[in-house]
Amino acid sequence: MSNQALERVEVGTIVAGTYKIVSVIGRGGMGEVWEAHHLRLPGKRVANKVLHASVAEDAESLARFKREAEIACRLGHPNIVEVHDFNHLDNGSPYLILELLEGESLDLRLRRLGRLDLETCEHILRQVGAALQCAHEQGVIHRDLKPQNVFMVPSPSGVGPDIAKVL
């Protein structure tokens, strides 16, 4: 793949004839994450994680990205982000379609609130531990567990503590 073939995704891009890119959620060392809306299922929103050209050109990084999708899909745990699809954009860029998470990273929460009380810490650690136990039972090691890779999602009912999702 050449850098010229790996153009940036932008607002308005249609992915796989199904997902319309509407806004950027974040950028990191491996790629960009975009919010996208499903064109045939009104109201369905997803996250589209697209690899950077420099990363996609590295065969090992590309294989790791694909393996990330396969592993997360196989694990299917409520405290692990859901992966819906792995594919390549028309320009060749590899991408994942993930569940769209509302909330904030544990890193942002800690910076915003400072210390968390013991009960909150225990609640978060039990969920992260359950996700890791599920992964370890299937021979998967996370290798990059940090507050930036734990996302705090409000309870679906709006009542009760947040749900921790390992990214």
Side-chain angles (χ1 to χ4, degrees):
M1 286 182 226
S2 73
N3 282 335
Q4 292 174 340
L6 294 166
E7 299 168 10
R8 285 186 42 144
V9 171
E10 56 189 43
V11 172
T13 300
I14 306 295
V15 176
T18 302
Y19 303 101
K20 182 176 183 177
I21 301 295
V22 296
S23 64
V24 68
I25 295 171
R27 293 184 167 99
M30 295 266 310
E32 299 175 329
V33 180
W34 297 83
E35 179 179 340
H37 294 177
H38 198 291
L39 295 175
R40 292 180 305 279
L41 297 173
K44 179 149 180 82
R45 300 164 51 222
V46 298
N48 183 332
K49 181 177 180 181
V50 182
L51 236 83
H52 286 312
S54 59
V55 178
E57 289 177 340
D58 177 58
E60 186 178 319
S61 294
L62 183 59
R64 190 169 44 246
F65 188 70
K66 184 176 182 196
R67 209 169 35 250
E68 173 186 338
E70 293 167 347
I71 289 167
C73 209
R74 184 177 80 226
L75 295 177
H77 189 277
N79 297 113
I80 298 173
V81 66
E82 270 184 65
V83 175
H84 300 298
D85 197 6
F86 168 84
N87 208 336
H88 293 83
L89 299 173
D90 291 341
N91 65 20
S93 299
Y95 69 88
L96 297 175
I97 298 293
L98 307 158
E99 73 176 303
L100 181 65
L101 300 175
E102 302 287 341
E104 65 185 346
S105 70
L106 180 56
D107 177 58
L108 287 176
R109 177 156 303 170
L110 290 168
R111 283 194 268 145
R112 184 172 54 80
L113 298 177
R115 276 186 127 156
L116 302 177
D117 63 75
L118 184 59
E119 184 179 336
T120 300
C121 289
E122 181 180 357
H123 178 73
I124 293 168
L125 288 171
R126 284 186 185 279
Q127 292 179 81
V128 171
L132 294 176
Q133 179 178 4
C134 173
H136 292 176
E137 286 173 350
Q138 296 190 43
V140 175
I141 307 297
H142 190 288
R143 298 185 343 165
D144 194 26
L145 187 62
K146 56 189 176 186
Q148 294 90 333
N149 289 336
V150 175
F151 205 83
M152 304 307 300
V153 179
S155 167
S157 67
V159 178
D162 289 350
I163 297 167
K165 291 270 194 171
V166 175
L167 309 179

